[in-house]
Amino acid sequence: MKTIVSHYYNALFKGFGQIMLQGNAITGILFIAAIFYDSALMGVAGIVSNLVGIGTAKLMKFNDEDIENGLYGFNASLIGVALIFYFQSNVWVWLGIVLASVLATIAMGYAVKYKLPAYTFPFVGMTWITLFVLSIPELAIPSVPEHFVDIQELDDFLIEGHAFGQVIFQGSFIAGVIFFLGVFISKPINALYAFVAVMISVFISHYVDISDDLVKEGVLSFNAVLCGIAMGGDKVRDGIYVLVSVTIATYIDALMIEYGWTALTFPFVFSMWLMYPIRRFDGWLVDKYFSKKQEIA
């Protein structure tokens, strides 16, 4: 019984932690707390969709270790929070949350099976489809999210908090700080790289056509946060990976905003797809070089 409880405990909370690539249950608990701090309804939606993802993974008989590590909860959790962010709650919205979470989990299952770098794309794809369907008149009423523009000027520290918060659709500075702490507790170097990544994206914002309000709210920087976390590491070249991936993601984000597209975390995913073969080749080159060096020695 204790083992079963531990399994589902880890699956749920690590599922939230994996939103920022952290397979850490404590991180997940902090993320949930931050979401509830801003919106209890979003918190409930995130938990419900996470549980739907876990249940779907069980029914599909996906690997138990992957389930426990939260790999089938994070895309679903993001879907639940996102749809409550974009629409006022009603039966169609909740039906959309459930169906989209199921399909995103199945998609993630195939990505894991074939070792494809899906990241948050199952969330992005299913949310785009669900947003389109729910936009049909009389199905759902779009909500007008509360904006937290509590920055009169471009204050880097406050933007950092907003950027971390916007990863999971939270606008308050406090929620963002809690998200940062959640990542820092799990992997300090990833949190610090994410902090630097936001600074890079804010610098780039001066060279793209985007309003200061969106920069202040962290809308242009939350994809940069994910790039910093995903690419950050203890090697010198990891810093280069962060710089390149953040630059790509920020320009893609700005382009999508300019044309009125719902970006979600697609700029981050697109950047990771471009970096994937580069990192694979770099890893192969380094392994080959060092193996030859050791043979000579």
Side-chain angles (χ1 to χ4, degrees), residues 56-170:
T56 301
K58 285 290 186 182
L59 289 173
M60 295 295 294
K61 297 182 179 180
F62 294 151
N63 183 272
D64 280 339
E65 185 177 350
D66 290 338
I67 295 173
E68 186 167 344
N69 284 331
L71 295 186
Y72 299 110
F74 71 96
N75 278 293
S77 296
L78 281 169
I79 288 170
V81 176
L83 293 183
I84 293 298
F85 175 83
Y86 284 111
F87 296 104
Q88 295 180 27
S89 176
N90 69 18
V91 65
W92 293 109
V93 171
W94 285 97
L95 181 60
I97 288 172
V98 172
L99 290 178
S101 296
V102 168
L103 294 176
T105 302
I106 293 172
M108 188 62 185
Y110 283 104
V112 171
K113 180 179 179 180
Y114 294 105
K115 298 181 180 180
L116 302 175
Y119 295 100
T120 56
F121 189 69
F123 147 69
V124 172
M126 290 313 306
T127 301
W128 278 344
I129 293 171
T130 310
L131 287 175
F132 175 77
V133 173
L134 290 176
S135 295
I136 296 172
E138 299 182 4
L139 273 188
I141 302 173
S143 63
V144 181
E146 181 181 356
H147 293 281
F148 292 81
V149 188
D150 50 9
I151 313 174
Q152 298 306 313
E153 298 180 357
L154 292 180
D155 185 309
D156 288 345
F157 182 68
L158 290 177
I159 293 173
E160 293 281 353
H162 285 291
F164 273 86
Q166 290 286 0
V167 174
I168 319 182
F169 299 93
Q170 306 309 303

Side-chain angles (χ1 to χ4, degrees), residues 166-225:
Q166 290 286 0
V167 174
I168 319 182
F169 299 93
Q170 306 309 303
S172 75
F173 175 74
I174 298 299
V177 170
I178 297 173
F179 289 155
F180 173 83
L181 290 175
V183 178
F184 189 84
I185 287 171
S186 177
K187 291 183 180 177
I189 194 168
N190 285 5
L192 296 176
Y193 262 116
F195 194 93
V196 172
V198 175
M199 296 173 64
I200 296 171
S201 69
V202 172
F203 175 78
I204 293 173
S205 72
H206 299 299
Y207 300 94
V208 296
D209 185 19
I210 190 170
S211 73
D212 283 350
D213 280 350
L214 292 179
V215 177
K216 294 172 186 177
E217 293 169 16
V219 172
L220 190 68
S221 300
F222 70 88
N223 278 288
V225 167

Side-chain angles (χ1 to χ4, degrees), residues 228-270:
I229 293 171
M231 293 284 109
D234 58 1
K235 297 179 178 62
V236 173
R237 65 182 183 275
D238 292 329
I240 299 174
Y241 291 152
V242 170
L243 176 61
V244 174
S245 62
V246 169
T247 301
I248 293 170
T250 303
Y251 275 106
I252 294 296
D253 208 346
L255 184 66
M256 295 183 77
I257 291 172
E258 180 181 353
Y259 285 94
W261 299 335
T262 304
L264 302 174
T265 57
F266 180 73
F268 156 68
V269 173
F270 184 76

